[in-house]
Amino acid sequence: MMVRRFEGKVALVTGASGVVGRASALAYAREGAAVLAAGRDEARLAELVKEIEGSGGRASAYAVDITSSASVAGMVEAAATRYGRLDVALNAAGVFGAVAPLADYDEDTWDDVIAVNLKGVFLSMKHEIAYMRAHGGGVIVNVASNLGAHYRRPGASAYVASKAAVSHLTRTAARDHIADGVRINALSPGPIDSPMSLRPGETREDRDARMKAALPIGRVATPEEIAAAALWLSSEESSFVVGTDHVVDGGAAA
Ligand SMILES: NC(=O)c1ccc[n+]([C@@H]2O[C@H](COP(=O)([O-])OP(=O)(O)OC[C@H]3O[C@@H](n4cnc5c(N)ncnc54)[C@H](OP(=O)(O)O)[C@@H]3O)[C@@H](O)[C@H]2O)c1
């Protein structure tokens, strides 16, 4: 029988209406956690909650805008109110923004991407850590990207800058709060089978052909492979792993 690593625990997942967050929320629930599934698209969150409940798990939805401190505070409070605790937070919400040479990169798009990918992770951690350190500790995983701390992607200025920043913000936060019992790491996926890995106008087949040539493993990740890494990083199995940026990229950075 499968060991359920999150039995009795509560996991908060931002970006749960998206590809990685959804796969992770399903995996946490399968392994025994009650899941607070947070995102903006309430219909997709409701569908996910229904699917989790349909297979005997516990979950509820929370509509959040991670660029707003009040909204993020409400999300953390909701986990505590609904389930009485918060053990794990997976901060997976993120946006890609535009692709254009830097001199032509739209300033409003820059502001939006930085607000979600960087300030959103800052605010999420700020409220999650405050709760966790006051309630016996917890574990946080921030989803960065191998495009950032590890690779550049021409034209994706705001995305690459924001993800590099998340990687370093994670290390700083980890050192600030490990003594409070809050263990924090980043997860940097390579390309995943998802709309975000498609270039403008590209089909899935075109993308797969591009990745076959570009990636040592010859294919993109499944959302489940990224969820598996997120679950390991937030489980007791990784209890000595602190302040790392865990790369899961099919060998791209090798
Ligand atoms: N897909 C890839 O190839 C890839 C590779 C490396 C890293 N990543 C990273 O992995 C994470 C998940 O990616 P994904 O492929 O699952 O993307 P996705 O399917 O586009 O999902 C993104 C999620 O972020 C949420 N979000 C965006 N802005 C938000 C805001 N202001 N407040 C709250 N939620 C917000 C979206 O909510 P709504 O949909 O409800 O608006 C959605 O749930 C991202 O951080 C991404 O940068 C992805």
Side-chain angles (χ1 to χ4, degrees), residues 1-4 7 30:
M1 190 187 143
M2 185 177 88
V3 179
R4 289 174 28 120
E7 201 72 68
R30 244 191 334 268

Side-chain angles (χ1 to χ4, degrees), residues 97-178:
V99 179
L102 191 140
D104 306 322
Y105 201 95
D106 178 64
E107 188 179 338
D108 290 339
T109 307
W110 170 274
D111 287 343
D112 287 346
V113 173
I114 299 297
V116 177
N117 291 6
L118 181 52
K119 189 178 179 191
V121 170
F122 163 71
L123 289 175
S124 299
M125 280 204 286
K126 185 173 165 61
H127 292 285
E128 292 155 1
I129 293 167
Y131 179 87
M132 288 172 173
R133 85 173 159 191
H135 296 85
V139 187
I140 296 174
V141 176
N142 296 319
V143 181
S145 171
N146 75 338
L147 296 177
H150 310 281
Y151 273 102
R152 270 48 62 190
R153 158 92 190 270
S157 314
Y159 187 78
V160 166
S162 68
K163 293 300 189 178
V166 165
S167 175
H168 287 267
L169 181 66
T170 300
R171 292 166 205 257
T172 302
R175 292 191 69 138
D176 284 346
H177 293 292
I178 188 63

Side-chain angles (χ1 to χ4, degrees), residues 15-21 39-41 64-67 92-95 116 143-145 159 163 189-192 194 196-197:
S17 45
V19 173
V20 170
R40 290 179 304 188
D41 185 331
V64 70
D65 175 1
I66 60 163
T67 67
V95 291
V116 177
V143 181
S145 171
Y159 187 78
K163 293 300 189 178
I192 304 159
S194 66
M196 205 185 274
S197 64

